Amino acid sequence: MKIASIINGAESIDNREETLMVYNPHNQERVAEVQLADENELNAAIDNSYETFHHTMKTMPAHKRADILLKAAELLEDRLEDFAQIITKEAGKPIQFSRAEVKRSMQVIRFASEYAKQISGEVIPMDAAIGGENRFGFTKRVPVGVVAAITPFNFPLNLSLHKIAPAIAAGNTIVLKPAEKTPVSAYMLVKLFHEAGLPVGGLNLVLGLGEELGDPLVKHEKIHKVTFTGSLGVGRIIRENAGFKKVTLELGSNSPNLLFEDADLEQAVPSLVKGAFAFSGQVCISAQRLYVHRSIYDRFLDDFKKRTEELVIGDPMDEATDFGPMINEEAAERAKSWIDDAVIHGAKVHTGGEQNGTLLTPTIMTDVKSNMKVIAEEVFAPIVSVIPFDTEEEAVKAANDSIYGLQAGVFTKDINKAFRVADKLEMGGVWINEISTYRQDNHPYGGVKQSGIGREGVKYAVEDMTEMKFFGLNLDSYQ
Ligand code: NAD
């Protein structure tokens, strides 16, 4: 399968030599050959999105945008299995999780379809200001224009949709640059939207390397908004390159989960095994740091280890597989080197820690220190550390000792303590009696500190993809 960028609905495959191979991380089989876009194609895509915005999308009524989104959701539902299979092939995600991703993606499009009809402004009490008598003022939310959407490999479908669906709901056009490691599901998605009736220039696809296409895309004067999900390092570059453009950054974290002495371990342990090891920890809100009250530490650790060792490791295409490869060997080697580095400085590997090719076995670490990479940085790998604490204050302080702040989990039956701790945690979101890794697609989602800027979750993304425009009327002139 050879794929190329899609500009104004056309995909022009030629014999150029600049191509990139996408390999299945599990068995290294070739999934696709990608023809890389050059700067001329990038500019053509942006120009076309700009024209389509001004001539079509800007004036398309809300009911039509909602219908297109609904149709896209229906098409995706029909093709659930095709999309799930391709996510598993290109990302190495176990098939049960790929199916779950497609189901979430369908919901995201449906939320956007519903919200397309709700986008509204407010009436301003103009006479509250001296001299404001006989004036009428109101606001509308208007689309920003062309949205550049840059997405990561770990949820290649759903995180693309968290940008595309609200952008369409708001009446924008989009230039999508998906992760070069997982471009095939995004390619299929763009075609699906065209089939659903979206004007073809409403969604253009450019395939290429981030470091080559990223800068000219983000800097281009016809791009009005950049929405990015990915790593902190790239987020920093984008923030600098974007200048005056609106920017949403959904970046990484080293999510903490706090388990107090009265935590329900029956519920917490299996959830945390999933929260730490789903998709080999390559999830931005993966449970990375577990702070456990000393009175339950041994019991927790035994049970957590036992259940972790029960995970079925294998071919992501097998229905029974819970745990598969990392995205590539380089990522697995990098993660393994962080484990080794921690061990040299006194940490212990309680279970796992074995790396072979793209596979790194589910790893639990203890005796870690706050300055070790496995704690201080985002591991983005199947590595979780368990750390005992004595007081609430100590646990909160340790959890907040991070450059990140995306989501946290707090486990206790004491509701007063739960709210007190949740208030003190420096996070974009806190779950009580739920893992940090849990996310629904309709709640506000995003980080504080260096975890990002802005919020996604369809309604909140729409807010960030529209401008508030004020209209005022001097009624005196009608007297
Ligand atoms: P990455 O930052 O390496 O790449 C993300 C995207 O940025 C890719 O499409 C890449 O091509 C592009 N890119 C690279 N250099 C660029 C540049 N100079 N300008 C513009 N674009 C450029 O991330 P990844 O490895 O694909 O994904 C993992 C990261 O994503 C983790 O840090 C993870 O925490 C984060 N993430 C965050 C969220 C969230 O919602 N907060 C969700 C998922 C993943």
Side-chain angles (χ1 to χ4, degrees), residues 330-344 355 360 373-374 383:
E330 193 189 340
E333 280 170 357
R334 188 266 310 155
K336 169 70 173 147
S337 76
W338 287 18
I339 296 171
D340 294 344
D341 187 57
V343 169
I344 288 169
Q355 184 240 330
L360 175 65
K373 281 186 177 166
V374 291
I383 306 172

Side-chain angles (χ1 to χ4, degrees), residues 149-155 159 163 177-182 208-218 226 228-235 237-238 241 249-253 282-285 327 378 380 404 406 439 445-447 451-452 456:
I150 305 174
T151 53
F153 76 83
N154 62 339
F155 289 85
L159 294 180
K163 303 178 184 316
K177 203 225 72 69
E180 50 269 47
K181 293 167 199 147
T182 54
L209 301 176
E211 42 301 359
E212 285 172 15
L213 286 189
D215 288 7
L217 172 61
V218 172
V226 181
F228 169 75
T229 301
S231 60
L232 172 58
V234 174
I237 298 171
I238 287 177
N241 283 340
L249 300 176
E250 296 282 353
L251 310 176
S253 81
Q282 299 168 120
V283 179
C284 49
I285 38 179
I327 190 69
E378 175 185 44
F380 214 62
Y404 295 112
L406 195 47
R439 178 186 181 187
Y445 179 80
S451 284
E456 289 192 338

Side-chain angles (χ1 to χ4, degrees), residues 57-78:
M57 284 303 287
K58 194 179 174 178
T59 49
M60 184 185 280
H63 66 81
K64 189 149 185 223
R65 304 195 306 267
D67 283 351
I68 291 168
L69 286 159
L70 195 58
K71 179 72 187 163
E74 286 165 4
L75 289 174
L76 187 56
E77 189 162 10
D78 290 345

Side-chain angles (χ1 to χ4, degrees), residues 277-289:
F277 299 119
F279 193 32
S280 297
Q282 299 168 120
V283 179
C284 49
I285 38 179
S286 192
Q288 180 173 330
R289 299 177 289 152

Side-chain angles (χ1 to χ4, degrees), residues 204-273:
N204 283 313
L205 175 78
V206 289
L207 300 177
L209 301 176
E211 42 301 359
E212 285 172 15
L213 286 189
D215 288 7
L217 172 61
V218 172
K219 286 180 179 167
H220 202 290
E221 60 180 15
K222 287 183 182 164
I223 296 289
H224 303 97
K225 149 114 199 170
V226 181
T227 171
F228 169 75
T229 301
S231 60
L232 172 58
V234 174
R236 279 202 186 103
I237 298 171
I238 287 177
R239 178 81 162 135
E240 262 178 37
N241 283 340
F244 272 105
K245 299 179 179 83
K246 272 166 126 31
V247 175
T248 297
L249 300 176
E250 296 282 353
L251 310 176
S253 81
N254 54 357
S255 292
N257 287 261
L258 285 62
L259 289 95
F260 289 92
E261 55 273 42
D262 58 350
D264 178 353
L265 294 188
E266 297 268 302
Q267 179 236 342
V269 171
S271 303
L272 282 164
V273 170

Side-chain angles (χ1 to χ4, degrees), residues 39-313:
E39 211 165 324
N40 288 336
E41 283 170 303
L42 175 70
N43 289 335
I46 298 171
D47 285 344
N48 179 249
S49 293
Y50 188 85
E51 293 302 316
T52 310
F53 173 68
H54 285 288
H55 294 124
T56 314
M57 284 303 287
K58 194 179 174 178
T59 49
M60 184 185 280
H63 66 81
K64 189 149 185 223
R65 304 195 306 267
D67 283 351
I68 291 168
L69 286 159
L70 195 58
K71 179 72 187 163
E74 286 165 4
L75 289 174
L76 187 56
E77 189 162 10
D78 290 345
R79 293 172 203 167
L80 189 157
E81 195 55 28
D82 294 346
F83 274 87
Q85 297 263 337
I86 203 69
I87 293 171
T88 292
K89 282 185 190 150
E90 67 179 353
K93 183 175 287 187
I95 188 74
Q96 45 171 311
F97 294 99
S98 297
R99 287 196 190 110
E101 180 176 345
V102 182
K103 285 183 187 158
R104 280 181 61 187
S105 303
M106 279 150 40
Q107 275 202 79
V108 168
I109 314 179
R110 290 205 163 101
F111 284 136
S113 171
E114 288 155 13
Y115 195 61
K117 296 181 180 177
Q118 314 280 330
I119 302 167
S120 62
E122 61 179 330
V123 174
I124 313 294
M126 298 302 290
D127 62 348
I130 297 164
E133 294 88 341
N134 296 322
R135 279 165 206 271
F136 183 71
F138 66 97
T139 64
K140 274 172 82 172
R141 296 217 69 103
V142 297
V144 286
V146 185
V147 174
I150 305 174
T151 53
F153 76 83
N154 62 339
F155 289 85
L157 189 69
N158 198 31
L159 294 180
S160 296
L161 278 166
H162 264 288
K163 303 178 184 316
I164 295 169
I168 295 171
N172 295 303
T173 57
I174 306 118
V175 178
L176 172 66
K177 203 225 72 69
E180 50 269 47
K181 293 167 199 147
T182 54
V184 190
S185 48
Y187 166 87
M188 287 164 58
L189 184 65
V190 169
K191 291 196 149 188
L192 181 144
F193 268 104
H194 293 164
E195 201 181 324
L198 184 73
V200 285
L203 176 57
N204 283 313
L205 175 78
V206 289
L207 300 177
L209 301 176
E211 42 301 359
E212 285 172 15
L213 286 189
D215 288 7
L217 172 61
V218 172
K219 286 180 179 167
H220 202 290
E221 60 180 15
K222 287 183 182 164
I223 296 289
H224 303 97
K225 149 114 199 170
V226 181
T227 171
F228 169 75
T229 301
S231 60
L232 172 58
V234 174
R236 279 202 186 103
I237 298 171
I238 287 177
R239 178 81 162 135
E240 262 178 37
N241 283 340
F244 272 105
K245 299 179 179 83
K246 272 166 126 31
V247 175
T248 297
L249 300 176
E250 296 282 353
L251 310 176
S253 81
N254 54 357
S255 292
N257 287 261
L258 285 62
L259 289 95
F260 289 92
E261 55 273 42
D262 58 350
D264 178 353
L265 294 188
E266 297 268 302
Q267 179 236 342
V269 171
S271 303
L272 282 164
V273 170
K274 209 170 169 191
F277 299 119
F279 193 32
S280 297
Q282 299 168 120
V283 179
C284 49
I285 38 179
S286 192
Q288 180 173 330
R289 299 177 289 152
L290 308 186
Y291 296 100
V292 183
H293 192 269
R294 203 175 296 278
S295 63
I296 56 167
Y297 179 81
D298 289 339
R299 190 154 63 93
F300 173 82
L301 194 58
D302 283 352
D303 203 11
F304 189 55
K305 178 180 179 220
K306 185 171 147 279
R307 285 184 183 264
T308 297
E309 289 173 351
E310 285 167 7
L311 287 170
V312 178
I313 302 175

